[in-house]
Amino acid sequence: MSALNLQPEKLYHLYNRGNNRETVFHTPENYRYFLTKLRRHLTPHLRILAWCLMPNHFHLLVQVREAADLARCSTDLRLLLSSYTRAIQKEQGRTGSLFQQHTKAKELSTEQYAFMCFCYIHQNPLRAGLIRDISQWVWSSYPDYAGLRGGTLCHKELATALLDLPTDAEQIALLIKQTMPADVKDWLF
């Protein structure tokens, strides 16, 4: 068992935020650098099904690979966060923790729970009031699922199968928008 308590082939919602809710992504280059490190450190262990980077936190919907080295996965997650932190400390002239001490890993035990997490991750920028239309946020996998970008970080085919998603990009985009909570819809539309 790893420090994250991950198990092979299970789905998880991984997330962490800035220490004291501080900003962790200041520039587009910061977002890109984090994604590069994410690909390098985590994709050998995890299949990423959805992701969203927010100014002060991140969300990942992942499936643990069958033959994942779980202890190494935890180590590589720590390497990702610590090396990103060092880069931001240097860039911003700061010291101390950037992220909260523990990254959360919530098991998604049912298809419905995983589907709602998939939608929630993509709706996050709307819920936070950062944008008025989901397609405006480029720091998530939504543009890939909506057919607006051809990103390769997500395993879209696996997500489609596991979450029973439509195969048509327009249908997925509509589905994500339709599952928006009423209180968010009220102030958006």
Side-chain angles (χ1 to χ4, degrees):
M1 234 10 122
S2 72
L4 290 173
N5 294 321
L6 302 179
Q7 296 178 23
E9 299 190 48
K10 300 239 179 187
L11 297 177
Y12 293 91
H13 177 200
L14 300 180
Y15 54 99
N16 200 336
R17 68 177 170 205
N19 200 26
N20 297 315
R21 299 177 189 239
E22 292 176 13
T23 299
V24 295
F25 303 109
H26 301 272
T27 66
E29 291 76 23
N30 295 158
Y31 287 97
R32 284 191 282 277
Y33 184 64
F34 187 86
L35 289 170
T36 299
K37 295 198 119 342
L38 177 70
R39 184 182 299 270
R40 181 182 318 140
H41 291 290
L42 294 187
T43 58
H45 314 288
L46 307 171
R47 292 181 185 98
I48 298 172
L49 305 181
W51 60 273
C52 184
L53 306 183
M54 299 285 286
N56 69 349
H57 66 282
F58 66 86
H59 295 275
L60 305 171
L61 173 56
V62 300
Q63 182 193 49
V64 180
R65 293 183 183 274
E66 301 82 18
D69 178 340
L70 300 178
R72 184 69 197 177
C73 181
S74 287
T75 299
D76 284 351
L77 176 61
R78 281 192 300 277
L79 282 171
L80 159 67
L81 297 179
S82 65
S83 62
Y84 180 79
T85 295
R86 283 191 306 276
I88 294 300
Q89 287 171 332
K90 184 177 179 182
E91 175 187 284
Q92 298 289 317
R94 59 167 284 154
T95 60
S97 299
L98 182 63
F99 290 97
Q100 289 184 340
Q101 191 170 19
H102 298 290
T103 298
K104 307 288 190 267
K106 188 161 183 97
E107 183 181 346
L108 304 172
S109 54
T110 67
E111 181 183 309
Q112 182 178 3
Y113 193 16
F115 170 74
M116 292 311 294
C117 182
F118 176 85
C119 293
Y120 170 79
I121 286 172
H122 291 123
Q123 295 165 354
N124 217 258
L126 277 171
R127 291 173 183 248
L130 297 174
I131 52 173
R132 303 280 296 165
D133 184 282
I134 244 174
S135 63
Q136 295 172 321
W137 195 254
V138 298
W139 306 114
S140 84
S141 52
Y142 177 83
D144 303 322
Y145 282 99
L148 304 172
R149 178 178 68 205
T152 59
L153 185 58
C154 283
H155 285 267
K156 293 184 342 185
E157 297 79 15
L158 181 61
T160 300
L162 291 174
L163 307 177
D164 196 27
L165 298 173
T167 55
D168 179 68
E170 286 182 26
Q171 294 279 328
I172 291 176
L174 183 61
L175 191 61
I176 291 170
K177 289 177 182 179
Q178 287 175 337
T179 59
M180 187 72 65
D183 62 326
V184 176
K185 285 181 186 175
D186 289 345
W187 64 265
L188 281 176
F189 308 109

